[in-house]
Structures are given as structure tokens and as C-alpha cells.
Amino acid sequence: GLLEIFGKKLNQFFDGDGLVYSVAFENGELTFKHNFVGTKGFTEEQAAKQMLYKGAFAIGNPKGDDFYNPFDFDVKNVANTGVVDWGGELYALWEGGKPHKMDPTTLRTEGEADSVLGHELEVPQMAAHYRVLDADDPAKKRLVAFSIEAQNQPLQPNKCCFYEWDADGKPAARAPFGVQNATFGMFHDCLVTENWYMLLQNPTALDPRKLLTEYMFAKCALAETIAMQDGKRPILWMFPRTEKAKKMLSGDEVAKSYELKNQFFFHHVNAFEREETGEVCLDSIPWKFMDFSMNLDMVTPAFWQDGSRTEYTRFTVNPSKKDSKQVKQESLSDRCCEFPCMNPTMVGKEHKY
């Protein structure tokens, strides 16, 4: 919502401060409200009337100071990627940090949250995307969200946790997992079906050469040091949501995992199970490649025609076949697209549109 901070323009909207708006019908009147999320960085910059904080996608020192600290890896929690209104509480989400709790009526920010609707966060951050499972029976309606560590201790699995809340905002389920070799996997979105939680791990890793030769000399953004790796494969992780799914695991498996072709994932469409075959279908919008040096100054129509384009794609696996690692991938449309959405009553169910 804010791409210029007291004269300093941002050419990468991922760094813009979060703006939340609401539209409501109140006593027959249409009411529109909006407010910036009162993060620490936003509040301090507005008070100082100057840019004070670095964004994850900014190059060098955007404040314009003479001194650039190459060992400064802190970036501003911009709370700009997702918003969830559930059980009478409102949160602005950004996957690199804690959620910000806001008043759902006034949109004033109450502060960073260590817990969300009664669930203590397994790690001090929460992903910006979630799923709502609708149901004819209100008692079965669920909000599903997740947290996962971006980094971990040496030789230790990355902490991951899925959280569920009922329609009244009360904790309904909590499922912690350890995910091996998931550091810098950039898990942005999730999917859920009757029996499974699903995450896509991107083929990204820290590029030490870029960190030491470019970031340390203010030649690239911090996010650019997390890069796609040629030859590395993304991983589809399927975590059991039910006892039925747990019975499909082998030995000491905590989840099913499948390697995919080299591509990058931000946002997913939906996933569903085919009861007659045991197959699980996952629809997503993969990018052919992702380079975080991309910004608003360089993206042209040609970029979408021949460059890092996206396509609506379906992946099909069969977790009931314990020894099978086969993944079928097919493009359902060659039109470039992003930020898919669908009828929320069909989340986790087989959809047509």
C-alpha cells in the first residue's frame, strides 16, 4: 500500500508497507475503511518522516546513508501479504515474521502476536496464506494455516506446524512436523484436503558467492541471495491430517514426499482426492523460473511471453501406493496467470471452475 517513503521510491512492491481495508454493510449503509498496519518499522518511519528500515527486496541501503552495514540481515516486517478475519479477530500476515493483530472494527493495530486465536505459534512467524474448509455443518468448518522455519540448527529438521480453528475461532487441531532439508525452501502457500496438508518446497538455496561478492557490497538485495538452483528439484510434501493418511506412510516417514520438475511455486489453486482411485490432484500456478532481482522497472509484456511465465498446472500423485514416487504433471491452460481464487465452498473438493 505504500511504495514511496518520504521521497524514497520502492521499485519492488514486495517491500511496500501493508494496507488493510474493509467494506461493510452497517444499518443499510455501505462503509469503507482502510488503515496501514502499524508495524514497528512503519510507525517509526512515519514519526521520523524518513526511511529507516531496509526491505528484503531492496538493493543496498535505501535510506541513502553513506554507511552500508553488510552484516545487517534484519529487514522490516511489512505485514503486507495476507489478512485473515476469523472468530472476531483480525491479523495482517507476512511470512518472514509474526502476524500483526488488528481491531476488526477500527483497523487499528494492536501489535505483533505470539499466538493466533489460542494457538501458540510453533515458530515466531506465520505464513501469509491459509485455507478455509467450508461445510454444510457449521461445526465442521475450519480455518487451516501453517508455520515453518526458514532456517534451522545444523542437522536438525525444520520445525513445521499446521493449525486448525473452528467457525467460532477456537483451536480445533494442531499438527507439528519436522521437515528435513527444508532450509530456504520458501514455502509460501498451502493446500488441504480431507486427509492431507500439503506444502511445496521450492528448489532454492542460499547462494554464498552472491552473498559474499554482491550483497556484501550493496550490489544485490538480500532476497536475491536465495536463488533457484539449476538441476535442483522442488518437493511436494504431504503431511497426514487423519489416521487414514498416517496408515499410508512407510516405516519412520512423517510425510509423503515427491520430487517435481525444476520450477517455482508461489500460489496454489486447490487440491482434492479421488476416492475411487486413491489419487490426490493438486492445482497450482508454477513459474518457469524465479529471480528476485526482478522489479517494476524491468518487467515488460515480453517478460510474460517468453520469460519467467506461469501456467495453470495440475499435479497428480497416489499416496496410497506406498512405493510409488510417480507424479503426473499437465498444463491445464497456457495463459499466463497468478493469484488464483475459486468458490470457497469447493476448497479441498473436486472443482470444475
Side-chain angles (χ1 to χ4, degrees):
L2 190 64
L3 293 177
E4 182 174 329
I5 302 174
F6 298 100
K8 296 289 183 182
K9 291 187 177 181
L10 306 179
N11 69 352
Q12 172 46 277
F13 49 78
F14 290 170
D15 278 345
D17 289 286
L19 177 74
V20 173
Y21 72 88
S22 69
V23 179
F25 294 95
E26 299 174 348
N27 301 319
E29 298 281 330
L30 183 67
T31 304
F32 175 84
K33 299 174 185 176
H34 67 101
N35 206 357
F36 283 97
V37 186
T39 65
K40 181 177 183 290
F42 175 82
T43 303
E44 292 182 0
E45 286 180 336
Q46 292 300 304
K49 298 190 183 312
Q50 62 176 319
M51 183 180 281
L52 301 173
Y53 288 88
K54 176 172 56 181
F57 299 88
I59 296 177
N61 186 352
K63 294 186 296 182
D65 295 351
D66 294 332
F67 177 68
Y68 170 68
N69 180 1
F71 300 101
D72 178 12
F73 298 107
D74 289 331
V75 295
K76 178 167 60 170
N77 181 341
V78 284
N80 70 359
T81 314
V83 60
V84 59
D85 179 16
W86 193 266
E89 296 187 5
L90 179 71
Y91 297 88
L93 308 174
W94 181 69
E95 68 192 42
K98 297 178 182 179
H100 281 74
K101 189 176 182 182
M102 304 179 75
D103 185 297
T105 303
T106 65
L107 301 186
R108 291 192 179 94
T109 302
E110 298 177 7
E112 289 188 341
D114 293 303
S115 65
V116 174
L117 289 161
H119 270 306
E120 291 289 327
L121 297 178
E122 190 78 9
V123 294
Q125 59 199 58
M126 182 168 151
H129 295 289
Y130 52 86
R131 298 282 151 170
V132 173
L133 286 171
D134 211 341
D136 294 332
D137 181 356
K140 295 181 178 179
K141 189 173 182 177
R142 294 288 184 268
L143 168 66
V144 181
F146 75 99
S147 296
I148 188 168
E149 280 183 315
Q151 303 177 56
N152 62 348
Q153 297 298 320
L155 305 179
Q156 296 296 314
N158 295 64
K159 292 180 182 177
C160 173
C161 189
F162 286 88
Y163 317 95
E164 296 193 28
W165 296 268
D166 66 18
D168 296 321
K170 294 183 174 62
R174 181 186 185 93
F177 299 96
V179 186
Q180 293 289 348
N181 304 315
T183 297
F184 299 122
M186 300 195 69
F187 300 83
H188 188 72
D189 196 357
C190 66
L191 287 163
V192 62
T193 65
E194 179 184 355
N195 294 292
W196 301 97
Y197 305 110
M198 281 168 276
L199 297 178
L200 270 297
Q201 178 176 339
N202 281 304
T204 44
L206 179 67
D207 185 340
R209 183 200 62 79
K210 203 172 187 73
L211 179 71
L212 295 173
T213 62
E214 296 186 41
Y215 177 76
M216 289 299 185
F217 297 96
K219 301 298 184 184
C220 78
L222 185 60
E224 290 179 60
T225 66
I226 312 299
M228 277 188 75
Q229 307 295 308
D230 289 338
K232 188 173 183 178
R233 290 172 172 262
I235 299 174
L236 164 61
W237 290 97
M238 297 179 63
F239 302 94
R241 186 171 177 241
T242 61
E243 289 300 319
K244 178 180 177 180
K246 289 178 182 178
K247 292 177 181 178
M248 298 184 201
L249 303 179
S250 302
D252 57 356
E253 276 187 332
V254 298
K256 306 288 288 186
S257 63
Y258 301 87
E259 289 189 346
L260 311 177
K261 298 176 183 178
N262 186 266
Q263 56 203 306
F264 187 93
F265 297 87
F266 265 134
H267 304 112
H268 311 314
V269 182
N270 190 34
F272 58 88
E273 302 175 25
R274 288 178 171 151
E275 188 173 348
E276 64 278 7
T277 64
E279 293 176 320
V280 176
C281 295
L282 180 159
D283 287 5
S284 188
I285 312 291
W287 294 63
K288 287 191 174 180
F289 70 88
M290 175 53 60
D291 180 352
F292 285 114
S293 68
M294 298 184 292
N295 58 53
L296 297 174
D297 297 331
M298 64 177 285
V299 175
T300 68
F303 175 90
W304 303 104
Q305 293 162 6
D306 302 311
S308 179
R309 60 177 286 113
T310 61
E311 288 188 7
Y312 178 25
T313 304
R314 173 163 292 174
F315 302 85
T316 304
V317 299
N318 195 329
S320 65
K321 295 182 178 179
K322 294 186 178 182
D323 298 327
S324 174
K325 290 292 184 180
Q326 184 177 358
V327 180
K328 180 183 177 183
Q329 177 173 341
E330 56 182 325
S331 174
L332 299 188
S333 170
D334 61 2
R335 294 193 64 176
C336 204
C337 58
E338 247 294 6
F339 292 102
C341 71
M342 54 177 290
N343 185 337
T345 63
M346 298 304 295
V347 171
K349 306 179 182 71
E350 187 164 5
H351 61 277
K352 292 182 179 179
Y353 307 104

